[in-house]
Amino acid sequence: CLGGGCSTSTFRNLECPRYPALSSILCNQNLFTCAGVHLYLPPPSAEDLRAMYKLYAGQSKLTFSHPRVKMQSEMIRQTLVLKPAMTSGLSITEIGCAGGELLARLAWDLPVSNLICFEADDKQHALAFRTIERYRKANSTHTFKLIKSAFDASVVTPQSVDLLASSHVVEHMHKPCEWLAGVRHMLRPGGYVFTELPWQEHQPFQKALVGQFHAAFYNSTTFNRMMAHNGFRLVLGRSSTYSTTSRKIERKTGIPAAFLHVHQLLNA
């Protein structure tokens, strides 16, 4: 799904020596390069992820009025309000909603009927629920669901989501193909994906660690190519406060190139 083959290297996960308690997970991961995207593989199991989240301390301290949250929400609002079908009853899902700040802001800024939050860090659950409930009720949003896992598209009704958002989450995903398949499963035709992520493609080779438990390393070109190959069209892209971080809005289009050959065989 990344648009090319994969090759391995001798580069091990740089965080291996930092976390002795996770050595059986991190020290067995090598860096693979797939169509320009660098990934630490093999991916951790669900049990491994729970052990990692117990030690995770990389969550940004945000609020409803934080500049980053406001700018993200405004970028999304400017895109969606121009679409007639996107002006009422929006269904919005966020992967890694943390304390719920962005979802709460979106519930305040947009006409929303349904909110779903995926969050695997149990240290964030109570805060996320309080934050989103407060602004959801104030703005008459109909439903809110907190799902205590990193991401599981199977628990969401197919083609029911108008917008899927994530902020500094995609770089933590060891299985981008699984994520992309799940996103397409959830989104309505013409639905949108908002992402904010850092460009860190050189870090695994420079032994420079920024962030915690990053598993995938992109630049703007490799990310755009991956999204296009899986049936998404770039609508808007902006640099954030830091030049090495970018915000993007992509729109779900027709059959992705990654699955086109299979589709043609089935319909021959």
Side-chain angles (χ1 to χ4, degrees):
C1 83
L2 298 176
C6 296
S7 61
T8 187
S9 72
T10 58
F11 290 89
R12 294 292 181 92
N13 191 320
L14 293 178
E15 292 184 290
C16 166
R18 285 192 173 186
Y19 302 99
L22 302 175
S23 60
S24 63
I25 305 168
L26 302 179
C27 298
N28 288 320
Q29 290 181 331
N30 272 33
L31 191 72
F32 284 70
T33 300
C34 305
V37 178
H38 307 304
L39 300 163
Y40 280 134
L41 298 172
S45 66
E47 183 179 349
D48 292 339
L49 282 174
R50 285 192 290 272
M52 292 167 69
Y53 273 109
K54 288 180 180 178
L55 298 180
Y56 185 66
Q59 204 67 258
S60 298
K61 305 300 182 184
L62 303 175
T63 64
F64 177 82
S65 299
H66 190 281
R68 187 170 99 184
V69 174
K70 292 173 69 175
M71 285 188 286
Q72 290 174 340
S73 182
E74 179 60 17
M75 181 176 176
I76 292 168
R77 190 192 66 79
Q78 288 178 352
T79 301
L80 298 193
V81 296
L82 298 177
K83 313 298 177 185
M86 293 281 188
T87 56
S88 63
L90 295 172
S91 177
I92 297 177
T93 295
E94 185 178 7
I95 304 173
C97 77
E101 298 85 6
L102 178 57
L103 272 183
R105 188 84 217 185
L106 291 171
W108 185 263
D109 290 343
L110 289 167
V112 176
S113 64
N114 182 48
L115 294 171
I116 298 175
C117 159
F118 284 96
E119 179 52 61
D121 188 348
D122 58 9
K123 299 186 293 295
Q124 297 290 328
H125 292 159
L127 175 59
F129 190 84
R130 289 196 307 269
T131 301
I132 297 170
E133 278 292 290
R134 175 184 174 188
Y135 290 99
R136 180 187 73 86
K137 291 178 179 178
N139 207 27
S140 302
T141 301
H142 296 306
T143 62
F144 164 57
K145 186 175 184 180
L146 175 62
I147 301 173
K148 298 177 181 180
S149 72
F151 182 54
D152 181 1
S154 68
V155 303
V156 179
T157 303
Q159 298 190 24
S160 64
V161 175
D162 296 298
L163 170 74
L164 187 137
S166 68
S167 179
H168 292 269
V169 170
V170 176
E171 66 269 24
H172 293 273
M173 293 185 170
H174 294 80
K175 300 178 181 180
C177 293
E178 186 177 289
W179 169 68
L180 286 163
V183 171
R184 288 195 62 86
H185 166 88
M186 294 165 57
L187 281 181
R188 302 184 198 275
Y192 292 85
V193 180
F194 168 84
T195 53
E196 177 168 330
L197 71 162
W199 305 140
Q200 297 180 321
E201 74 274 19
H202 299 304
Q203 287 194 15
F205 306 100
Q206 297 173 340
K207 297 186 178 181
L209 286 172
V210 178
Q212 186 181 12
F213 300 149
H214 287 191
F217 305 88
Y218 300 90
N219 61 35
S220 186
T221 299
T222 57
F223 184 79
N224 288 347
R225 183 170 59 214
M226 178 184 75
M227 296 299 288
H229 191 66
N230 286 274
F232 294 91
R233 177 176 60 84
L234 180 64
V235 175
L236 185 61
R238 293 176 181 169
S239 295
S240 65
T241 306
Y242 305 100
S243 60
T244 54
T245 302
S246 181
R247 300 184 180 115
K248 293 180 181 288
I249 294 180
E250 315 257 353
R251 192 176 190 190
K252 178 182 175 182
T253 59
I255 300 170
F259 307 119
L260 187 57
H261 180 61
V262 175
H263 176 80
Q264 291 170 338
L265 290 175
L266 292 174
N267 290 275

